[in-house]
Amino acid sequence: MNIPNLPEGHHDLIRIVHHWGDQSTIDTYLDLLSVLLEGLDLPNGHPQLVTNTGKPKSVYVLATTLGMRYLLAFHRRQEMAFLILPRGYEHGHPLFESMGHFDALRGERDVPPAYGLTRNLRGVLENEQVVKDWKAAARAEINRQSQSTFKRHHKPALYEAARNSEYRELVFYQAFNSEN
């Protein structure tokens, strides 16, 4: 593995992965994040996009926000992934155990999007319609704000782990083969 410069947040990501300890779930979660990032087509470091590892005992870890809204985050206590979805999803979908909708942002005139929490990460990845709707809800956030107020929390390492399989292997190797 040849990763010349480790991205900012690398050691935080290693700690989260080590603390979490379930490589299969993390790998699937990073696959989900990769699908989302591919759909957004925004580069690592874009002013609206923030990927954040969180702290090992935070409620939400490995979170991705666009502007002021979560697009994807893992809720550690409930062991569920949080996904932004189109508003109609608030009425329920079999893949999601909990549904709701965001509150309006200050000055927002559009209908706020919905969100869902699921334990079935693989099911989301395999459901083409849900993935399509999830990407559409995420892309709609691009037009809501020009930048994120969370930018100081951006950790490029999470973005890289999702999009770069070689880097992801390094993260898993270091997380599960070292004392953290």
Side-chain angles (χ1 to χ4, degrees), residues 60-132:
Y60 285 110
V61 294
L62 307 181
T64 300
T65 59
L66 188 65
M68 295 284 294
R69 291 207 171 106
Y70 283 105
L71 305 180
L72 176 66
F74 196 80
H75 193 292
R76 287 189 49 81
R77 289 187 190 130
Q78 296 179 12
E79 296 183 5
M80 293 181 165
F82 175 102
L83 284 81
I84 192 171
L85 297 162
R87 184 64 185 244
Y89 274 74
E90 71 194 301
H91 300 297
H93 187 283
L95 275 173
F96 298 94
E97 296 176 39
S98 177
M99 309 288 301
H101 63 270
F102 286 93
D103 293 332
L105 298 171
R106 196 169 87 208
E108 183 175 39
R109 296 191 194 334
D110 296 339
V111 175
Y115 61 81
L117 284 104
T118 183
R119 294 177 208 283
N120 188 354
L121 304 181
R122 182 63 51 200
V124 171
L125 272 174
E126 293 171 353
N127 188 313
E128 291 178 22
Q129 187 61 52
V130 169
V131 169
K132 180 180 172 186

Side-chain angles (χ1 to χ4, degrees), residues 116-154:
L117 284 104
T118 183
R119 294 177 208 283
N120 188 354
L121 304 181
R122 182 63 51 200
V124 171
L125 272 174
E126 293 171 353
N127 188 313
E128 291 178 22
Q129 187 61 52
V130 169
V131 169
K132 180 180 172 186
D133 293 343
W134 177 40
K135 287 185 199 178
R139 278 192 303 273
E141 293 303 306
I142 292 173
N143 297 324
R144 291 189 198 270
Q145 294 179 311
S146 61
Q147 63 185 15
S148 174
T149 57
F150 307 129
K151 200 64 187 165
R152 69 184 181 280
H153 302 293
H154 180 61

